[in-house]
Amino acid sequence: MKRSLTADWEEGYQNRMNALSNDAVHKVKVQIFNRGEKEQMGEMPVSKTAAKREARICEILECAEKHFSIKGFHGAGISGIAADCGISVGHLYHYFGSKDELIQAVVKLEMGRQEESIAAFEDLSPENLRIEMAELTTTIFSNDKEPFRTVLNFEILAEAQRNPDVAAIMQHHDAQMRRRFMSILRRAGIDDPETRTELIFTIFSGLSARALRHPEQERATLLEVIQDVILKILGDKPVTSDAACD
C-alpha cells in the first residue's frame, strides 16, 4: 500500500533537519579551521586536539543561536554567549575573531537548514510533479516546523537590510535553492522554470510573514486555495513522462 506524501514527509523531515544541522555545523567548523589558509575546505585530520576544538566550536554555535534567537544579533552580547558556554570572552575570540564572524557562521547554519528543505521536493516523481508538489507544499506549511518560520530567519532578514555581508550569505543560499528548484521543474518538463520558481518561493516566504502579522488567519482554508494556486503556477496540464524526457 502506497504511503501518503504527508506521512513520508513528516517521518523524514526531522531526520533531514538533524542530518543537515550536523553537516552544516561541520562545514562551518572546517571553514574556521581553515581560516587564513589557501587550501580549499576539506576533511580535517582527526586528532584529540582537533576533536576538542570541533566540540567547542559546536557548543559556541549552539549557544550563539540560542542567544541570537532570544535577544537578536545586536541585543545578544558576546559575554553572555561566552558565559553560557562556560568560557571567557577571550577564549571565544580564539575561535571566532569577532562578533560579526560569529553572526555570519550562525547565518550560514540557518540558511543551510532552509536549503535542505528543497530535498523533499527533489524526491518527487517528475510524472506526477504538479499534484505531489502542491500536496507537499500544503503539508510543509501546515506543520509548525516550516523552514522559513523561525525567529532566526526573521532576524537574518532584518540584519541583511543593514549588513551587506549577511545579505551576501543569504542571497548566495537563495540562489542555490533556486537553482535546485529550477532543476526539479526542468526534469518534469515544465517550461519557464525561473519565473515559476520565483512565484512559488514568494508564496513560501510570504506565508511565514503573514503568519506573524496575522496569527489568527485560517491557515487550513488558506492552504486549500494555495494548493490550487501552485497547480496553476506549474501549468494547467499534467506533464507526461514523455515530456519530462524531452
Side-chain angles (χ1 to χ4, degrees):
M1 179 177 179
K2 186 178 178 180
R3 301 183 62 196
S4 69
L5 282 172
T6 300
D8 286 339
W9 184 85
E10 288 177 345
E11 179 179 310
Y13 185 86
Q14 195 57 52
N15 289 336
R16 286 192 186 98
M17 291 299 100
N18 289 340
L20 184 278
S21 295
N22 293 335
D23 183 56
V25 169
H26 172 71
K27 288 179 180 178
V28 171
K29 289 186 291 187
V30 171
Q31 287 177 325
I32 296 166
F33 272 116
N34 290 343
R35 185 174 59 227
E37 298 181 8
K38 294 181 180 179
E39 61 192 51
Q40 294 181 346
M41 185 175 70
E43 293 293 329
M44 298 297 298
V46 177
S47 67
K48 290 183 178 179
T49 301
K52 184 177 180 181
R53 181 176 174 82
E54 284 199 23
R56 179 63 74 187
I57 291 170
C58 185
E59 183 181 8
I60 293 171
L61 289 172
E62 289 174 356
C63 291
E65 280 193 293
K66 180 178 72 174
H67 281 253
F68 290 151
S69 295
I70 295 172
K71 299 181 179 180
F73 289 135
H74 296 283
I78 288 294
S79 59
I81 295 171
D84 200 14
C85 292
I87 60 177
S88 67
V89 171
H91 194 185
L92 188 150
Y93 281 132
H94 177 69
Y95 299 97
F96 295 90
S98 65
K99 184 179 179 181
D100 282 343
E101 188 176 313
L102 180 57
I103 289 173
Q104 291 172 29
V106 169
V107 170
K108 289 176 182 177
L109 290 180
E110 179 68 9
M111 293 296 100
R113 295 188 187 103
Q114 291 182 14
E115 186 177 342
E116 181 59 18
S117 65
I118 299 298
F121 293 96
E122 290 174 329
D123 293 336
L124 302 181
S125 64
E127 296 83 1
N128 303 309
L129 183 75
R130 291 175 66 257
I131 300 297
E132 291 185 0
M133 183 172 287
E135 181 183 341
L136 183 58
T137 298
T138 55
T139 299
I140 291 174
F141 285 93
S142 63
N143 191 292
D144 61 4
K145 298 184 180 69
E146 62 179 86
F148 305 107
R149 193 178 176 182
T150 66
V151 173
L152 201 53
N153 178 58
F154 289 116
E155 181 67 20
I156 290 169
L157 289 171
E159 183 64 16
Q161 295 288 323
R162 51 184 174 260
N163 186 327
D165 292 328
V166 170
I169 294 169
M170 181 182 69
Q171 291 161 9
H172 170 74
H173 279 277
D174 188 80
Q176 289 184 319
M177 291 174 68
R178 283 185 279 112
R179 281 194 292 270
R180 290 175 66 178
F181 203 85
M182 285 188 288
S183 294
I184 297 169
L185 300 189
R186 288 193 183 99
R187 287 198 300 270
I190 295 175
D191 65 347
D192 196 8
E194 292 87 353
T195 301
R196 298 179 196 272
T197 294
E198 192 62 38
L199 285 169
I200 291 172
F201 276 32
T202 299
I203 292 174
F204 288 174
S205 58
L207 276 171
S208 300
R210 289 303 302 165
L212 183 63
R213 289 173 174 270
H214 184 199
E216 296 84 12
Q217 68 179 205
E218 291 292 336
R219 177 58 70 97
T221 302
L222 187 63
L223 288 175
E224 287 182 10
V225 176
I226 287 175
Q227 190 170 36
D228 291 335
V229 172
I230 295 291
L231 290 172
K232 288 292 185 181
I233 291 174
L234 295 176
D236 293 330
K237 295 180 179 179
V239 178
T240 65
S241 57
D242 291 338
C245 294
D246 288 343

